[in-house]
Amino acid sequence: MKKLLYSFLLLSSATLFAQKNPTTKFAVANDIVGTVDMFNTHKNKIQSTQTYKAANLPQNLKKFGYIAENGLVEYKFKSGQGVLDRLSLSELNAQYGLAKNTPVFIDGYEFTNTDTLIYGDILGNMEVIDNKGSKAVSIITKK
C-alpha cells in the first residue's frame, strides 16, 4: 500500500510541474522569447509594443503559436537598447547534462525546438523534472 501511495504522489508532483501556468503571457523581441513581466522591468529600453491574439499572429510570429494561448506581445527595442542576456534552450540543456534536443518546459509550456532563444531574465527557478520517463529542464519564471 505504501508503494502505491508513494507512486501516486510521485506521479502527481511530476504532473503538477508540467501544468501550464495560465497567468504567463509570453513576449518576443528580435525572435527571442521572454515574458511580459520580464519586459516590464525594461520599460526604458522599449520603443513599441504590439499585442496579438493567438488566431491573429503575423507571419513572423506564427512559429511561436504554441505559446500564444494567452496572446503574444511583440516588443521592439530602442536603437542600441536590445542587449539583454540570451541563450538557446539547447545550451540550457547542456548545462544540465541533458541531450541538446531535449524539450524544455517554461511555466508548463513545452518548447520542443531547442534552437529557440530565450532571455536570461526569465530564468527564475530551474530544475530537472521527470517528463514521461525522461528528464527535462523546467523553468518557472516567477521568482
Side-chain angles (χ1 to χ4, degrees):
M1 184 68 176
K2 285 184 183 180
K3 286 183 182 181
L4 181 63
L5 183 59
Y6 178 73
S7 297
F8 175 72
L9 289 174
L10 187 62
L11 180 62
S12 297
S13 67
T15 304
L16 280 175
F17 283 118
Q19 288 183 346
K20 293 179 181 178
N21 183 345
T23 63
T24 300
K25 189 163 186 179
F26 286 100
V28 175
N30 300 328
D31 273 351
I32 305 170
V33 176
T35 62
V36 170
D37 292 338
M38 181 215 84
F39 281 104
N40 284 339
T41 64
H42 296 284
K43 285 183 179 181
N44 61 330
K45 297 179 181 182
I46 304 298
Q47 177 181 330
S48 66
T49 64
Q50 182 69 44
T51 303
Y52 299 99
K53 294 188 184 282
N56 298 327
L57 291 176
Q59 192 63 35
N60 66 316
L61 295 178
K62 286 198 186 280
K63 63 184 170 189
F64 298 111
Y66 62 98
I67 59 173
E69 193 172 284
N70 298 326
L72 188 68
V73 179
E74 182 178 31
Y75 287 93
K76 295 199 190 276
F77 287 111
K78 293 177 183 174
S79 181
Q81 295 293 312
V83 188
L84 297 175
D85 289 336
R86 62 195 77 156
L87 74 152
S88 70
L89 295 176
S90 61
E91 291 171 329
L92 187 63
N93 278 331
Q95 289 177 13
Y96 280 91
L98 301 174
K100 289 186 176 190
N101 62 348
T102 303
V104 173
F105 291 87
I106 301 176
D107 286 344
Y109 290 82
E110 184 175 13
F111 287 70
T112 56
N113 179 0
T114 58
D115 291 332
T116 301
L117 293 173
I118 60 170
Y119 285 107
D121 289 20
I122 69 170
L123 300 176
N125 300 316
M126 297 184 298
E127 65 180 323
V128 176
I129 62 166
D130 178 32
N131 177 37
K132 301 173 193 163
S134 61
K135 295 182 185 256
V137 174
S138 175
I139 301 167
I140 298 172
T141 60
K142 307 283 187 212
K143 293 183 180 181

